[in-house]
Amino acid sequence: MAIDYTILTDLAQCDAADADVTFELKTFAARDINADVADERADRSKTDITAQLSKVTGEISSLDYRLAEPGLDAKVLSDLTDEREALVVLRKKLTKCSQQVTGTNRFLAQVDVEQIAQQVALLTTVKAGIATRRAALSS
């Protein structure tokens, strides 16, 4: 549907519409900056989570090796088993966090970025239309 700029019947309406569209453009610029920051945060989180997962997996492997040692007394066996179970829980949590950083949330962030770009293009076109209408009313 084409925008009907003839609805703007005087210069004051053109100026008010232009100010509103300019403000709307600022809100989308802010959303764009926030999306960039969120994307950077996701990259950093992914790197951090990957490092943590690697460390936890190594610790679990180390505990598996120690648990396989013959002759462990019951207390040591219990302590090592408890520590391993806690690390397995942590690994599951980190795995879920990793999926959140790289999964559908990241995809939807890309959708939002595209939506912002299209909205900015539309609003820029609208500002040009308002300027054209204002010029027509000025003559």
Side-chain angles (χ1 to χ4, degrees), residues 3-137:
I3 298 173
D4 181 10
Y5 294 98
T6 62
I7 293 171
L8 303 172
T9 57
D10 59 39
L11 297 178
Q13 288 179 347
C14 289
D15 292 342
D18 186 63
D20 288 343
V21 172
T22 298
F23 180 78
E24 194 71 13
L25 274 168
K26 286 180 184 178
T27 65
F28 281 101
R31 283 182 63 189
D32 192 36
I33 290 168
N34 286 334
D36 289 345
V37 169
D39 195 37
E40 184 178 336
R41 181 180 300 126
D43 286 342
R44 292 178 69 158
S45 293
K46 182 179 176 185
T47 300
D48 187 47
I49 290 169
T50 300
Q52 289 178 44
L53 269 171
S54 178
K55 180 181 176 189
V56 167
T57 300
E59 289 174 2
I60 291 171
S61 295
S62 176
L63 287 171
D64 287 343
Y65 181 77
R66 289 187 63 199
L67 284 166
E69 292 176 3
L72 292 175
D73 69 33
K75 170 77 170 120
V76 171
L77 182 61
S78 175
D79 289 346
L80 291 175
T81 301
D82 289 347
E83 186 178 347
R84 185 187 187 287
E85 288 173 359
L87 288 170
V88 168
V89 169
L90 179 58
R91 182 175 61 187
K92 286 180 183 179
K93 179 182 173 189
L94 290 169
T95 300
K96 285 182 182 179
C97 286
S98 176
Q99 290 168 347
Q100 290 172 351
V101 168
T102 59
T104 55
N105 289 341
R106 193 105 188 233
F107 172 77
L108 292 175
Q110 289 178 354
V111 170
D112 194 41
V113 167
E114 181 61 26
Q115 179 184 12
I116 290 167
Q118 289 181 13
Q119 194 68 20
V120 167
L122 171 66
L123 292 171
T124 302
T125 300
V126 168
K127 279 186 64 71
I130 293 169
T132 301
R133 177 64 177 160
R134 190 179 196 293
L137 290 171

